[in-house]
Amino acid sequence: MFPKKPLTKGSHIRVLSPSSSIHRLGGFEANLAAKERLEALGFHLSFSSHYLVPADALDSVPIADRVADLHEAFADESVDAILATIGGSNANELLPYLDYALIAQNPKILCGYSDTTALLNAIYAKTGLVTIMGPSYSSFKMVEGQPYQTASWLAATSLASYDLTPSPEWSSDAWYDPSLPRQFFPTTWKVYAHGRASGTAIGGNLSTFGLLRGTPYAPQPDRYVLFLEEAESDDYIEFNRHLAAILQAYPDPQAVLIGRFPKECQMTEETLLYILDKHPVLKTIPVLYDLDFAHTQPLFSLRIGAQVTVDTSNLSIRFD
């Protein structure tokens, strides 16, 4: 099931915080550049009722407040799309308390990345609604790389077919602090194993996606393509453990697409290939790595729950 409306100029976007609060990012005023950029694209923004509630010791607000904000956004007929503020570490706390019938009756665009992985996959699993892994509200503060990031997001939210393409260049620096220098490198998507395959896109942040294993919120499509990436807090040792666990829970992927690792993971290409070599299934299906999603910048937008076709012969990734 696709959202009822595509994102177009004049659409109303509700910004809310399913995990970390805006206070983690310095507060509302410190992030006005994101609001201004989205408004310059032609969108109307509003913020959830509990948006400015003071953050707790985990940089979040009470579960009940976050659940209420999501329900309010889905129930409000004037809201066309929902955008998460940022990731965090506890979006999975919300899953038992969500009204999935309400969400299914009001299908609309929901977008975020990182910890929002839990919400995106759970809502797809419980309702069939296609969700979008892409930039968060705070991501629109970024200047360098923003044209690529915005173009991919607009393509995904158009609800038409579109192709993922490599960014011109990428960075693993603190994009959210313009006072710090940034270093960019040419983008090269890489092939571990060749092939062509189609399936339903699931996954996202690997450690967060793993939290859904064994719960009613883990998606179970018949044929699936795994999108997997790690955040700055999980190094190559954690990736090794998390990948093994996911391939035990999802042993028959049609393809595996791996996001580029942030520098904090200390992942080298030699180490990554060593880890991939451990798993025989990865030699029999298309596997790409160093792709533009999640914790390096800029990032492309992908649809969780939608059909995707991967062809390594021309590095093609197409959502239908």
Side-chain angles (χ1 to χ4, degrees), residues 2-3 5-8 11 13 43 81 83 109-111 132 135 150-160 162 301 303:
F2 269 72
K5 297 179 183 178
L7 200 64
T8 59
S11 291
I13 299 174
F43 304 119
L83 190 58
I109 291 167
L110 172 65
C111 182
I132 294 176
T150 297
S152 183
W153 180 67
L154 291 174
T157 56
S158 74
L159 307 185
Y162 72 108
S301 293
R303 294 174 180 156

XYZ file of all heavy atoms in Angstrom, residues 2-3 5-8 11 13 43 81 83 109-111 132 135 150-160 162 301 303:
229
model
N 0.633 2.105 -0.986
C 1.379 3.356 -1.065
C 0.630 4.459 -0.310
O -0.580 4.383 -0.123
C 1.566 3.772 -2.519
C 2.826 3.257 -3.137
C 2.972 1.918 -3.442
C 3.883 4.115 -3.400
C 4.134 1.435 -3.996
C 5.051 3.654 -3.960
C 5.184 2.307 -4.257
N 1.357 5.497 0.123
C 0.673 6.656 0.707
C -0.372 7.214 -0.255
O -0.260 7.077 -1.479
C 1.815 7.646 0.942
C 3.029 6.790 1.107
C 2.821 5.639 0.162
N -1.117 10.303 -0.979
C -0.718 11.468 -1.765
C 0.798 11.515 -1.938
O 1.538 11.253 -0.988
C -1.153 12.765 -1.071
C -2.633 12.957 -0.899
C -2.884 14.272 -0.165
C -4.351 14.508 0.122
N -4.543 15.784 0.880
N 1.262 11.896 -3.136
C 2.692 12.191 -3.285
C 3.012 13.544 -2.662
O 2.109 14.340 -2.370
C 2.883 12.228 -4.800
C 1.553 12.695 -5.316
C 0.521 12.102 -4.390
N 4.277 13.810 -2.457
C 4.708 15.114 -1.963
C 4.839 16.055 -3.159
O 5.544 15.766 -4.117
C 6.046 14.977 -1.243
C 6.447 16.084 -0.273
C 5.475 16.153 0.898
C 7.856 15.853 0.249
N 4.133 17.170 -3.100
C 4.184 18.167 -4.166
C 4.281 19.547 -3.529
O 4.081 19.709 -2.322
C 2.924 18.102 -5.057
O 1.761 18.328 -4.245
C 2.805 16.744 -5.746
N 2.462 20.883 -0.260
C 2.153 19.822 0.694
C 2.477 20.270 2.122
O 3.408 21.048 2.357
C 2.939 18.558 0.362
O 2.483 17.963 -0.829
N 3.870 19.232 5.661
C 4.747 18.275 6.328
C 4.689 18.500 7.828
O 4.929 19.613 8.307
C 6.202 18.424 5.831
C 6.300 18.162 4.326
C 7.120 17.464 6.597
C 7.687 18.439 3.744
N 7.068 23.766 0.581
C 6.276 22.997 1.530
C 5.866 23.841 2.732
O 6.579 24.756 3.145
C 7.054 21.768 1.998
C 7.507 20.892 0.870
C 8.860 20.660 0.647
C 6.588 20.320 0.011
C 9.281 19.875 -0.412
C 7.000 19.523 -1.054
C 8.351 19.305 -1.264
N 2.492 14.546 4.826
C 3.700 13.748 5.032
C 4.219 14.011 6.438
O 3.982 15.078 7.025
C 4.763 14.100 3.994
N 7.753 13.809 8.876
C 9.208 13.807 8.796
C 9.789 13.753 10.202
O 9.451 14.583 11.054
C 9.674 15.075 8.073
C 11.128 15.196 7.657
C 11.550 14.057 6.728
C 11.365 16.541 6.964
N 2.947 9.613 3.695
C 4.403 9.498 3.677
C 4.952 9.649 5.083
O 4.595 10.576 5.806
C 5.004 10.568 2.742
C 4.659 10.244 1.271
C 6.510 10.682 2.933
C 4.944 11.391 0.322
N 5.828 8.721 5.464
C 6.580 8.799 6.708
C 8.049 8.618 6.355
O 8.415 7.615 5.735
C 6.140 7.712 7.685
C 6.982 7.561 8.952
C 6.873 8.813 9.831
C 6.564 6.318 9.737
N 8.890 9.570 6.737
C 10.292 9.541 6.318
C 11.223 9.827 7.486
O 10.945 10.665 8.348
C 10.516 10.579 5.207
S 12.211 10.623 4.547
N 9.455 5.564 3.883
C 10.635 6.073 3.172
C 11.794 6.267 4.138
O 11.665 6.961 5.158
C 10.310 7.389 2.439
C 9.289 7.094 1.328
C 11.582 8.013 1.856
C 8.801 8.303 0.595
N 16.309 11.460 4.260
C 16.762 12.515 5.177
C 15.737 12.807 6.254
O 14.529 12.716 6.045
C 16.981 13.724 4.261
C 16.155 13.442 3.050
C 16.173 11.957 2.880
N 18.335 16.094 -1.792
C 16.981 16.580 -1.999
C 16.355 15.971 -3.245
O 15.178 15.591 -3.234
C 16.980 18.121 -2.105
O 17.433 18.677 -0.862
C 15.591 18.650 -2.403
N 17.133 15.842 -4.319
C 16.600 15.282 -5.564
C 16.141 13.837 -5.358
O 15.076 13.430 -5.847
C 17.645 15.362 -6.670
N 16.925 13.058 -4.632
C 16.541 11.671 -4.373
C 15.298 11.598 -3.493
O 14.398 10.775 -3.711
C 17.710 10.922 -3.718
O 17.393 9.560 -3.518
N 15.233 12.450 -2.487
C 14.068 12.506 -1.597
C 12.805 12.884 -2.362
O 11.743 12.265 -2.177
C 14.359 13.510 -0.483
C 13.275 13.707 0.520
C 12.808 12.814 1.445
C 12.514 14.907 0.712
N 11.816 13.390 2.203
C 11.619 14.673 1.786
C 12.523 16.160 0.103
C 10.733 15.641 2.246
C 11.642 17.133 0.566
C 10.760 16.862 1.620
N 12.903 13.861 -3.232
C 11.745 14.266 -4.022
C 11.311 13.161 -4.975
O 10.116 12.967 -5.225
C 12.055 15.551 -4.800
C 12.221 16.817 -3.953
C 12.674 17.988 -4.819
C 10.921 17.165 -3.214
N 12.275 12.404 -5.511
C 11.927 11.289 -6.387
C 11.188 10.203 -5.609
O 10.181 9.659 -6.073
C 13.191 10.712 -7.028
N 11.687 9.882 -4.405
C 11.050 8.837 -3.596
C 9.655 9.251 -3.144
O 8.725 8.441 -3.139
C 11.920 8.511 -2.391
N 9.495 10.505 -2.768
C 8.206 10.977 -2.259
C 7.216 11.321 -3.369
O 6.048 11.587 -3.091
C 8.391 12.204 -1.347
O 9.083 13.233 -2.067
C 9.188 11.841 -0.101
N 7.673 11.290 -4.626
C 6.766 11.509 -5.753
C 5.835 10.320 -5.955
O 4.809 10.426 -6.626
C 7.557 11.743 -7.046
O 8.112 10.516 -7.516
N 6.240 9.157 -5.400
C 5.510 7.891 -5.492
C 5.493 7.319 -6.900
O 4.762 6.353 -7.171
C 4.081 8.035 -4.946
C 3.975 8.619 -3.524
C 2.530 8.589 -3.049
C 4.892 7.895 -2.553
N 6.282 7.879 -7.817
C 6.469 7.301 -9.146
C 7.708 6.409 -9.133
O 8.460 6.368 -8.162
C 6.622 8.420 -10.181
N 11.492 5.337 -9.847
C 12.702 6.144 -9.897
C 13.924 5.248 -9.706
O 13.822 4.112 -9.239
C 12.681 7.259 -8.849
C 12.865 6.791 -7.412
C 14.048 7.040 -6.712
C 11.865 6.098 -6.753
C 14.217 6.626 -5.406
C 12.017 5.686 -5.444
C 13.193 5.944 -4.775
O 13.355 5.515 -3.482
N 17.278 8.307 -0.924
C 16.046 7.886 -0.251
C 15.543 6.593 -0.882
O 15.483 6.477 -2.114
C 14.966 8.965 -0.374
O 15.324 10.124 0.341
N 12.546 3.232 -0.502
C 11.191 2.927 -0.032
C 11.165 1.566 0.659
O 11.408 0.539 0.018
C 10.212 2.923 -1.200
C 10.015 4.272 -1.855
C 9.139 4.132 -3.091
N 8.920 5.410 -3.760
C 8.607 5.526 -5.048
N 8.486 4.441 -5.797
N 8.424 6.707 -5.586
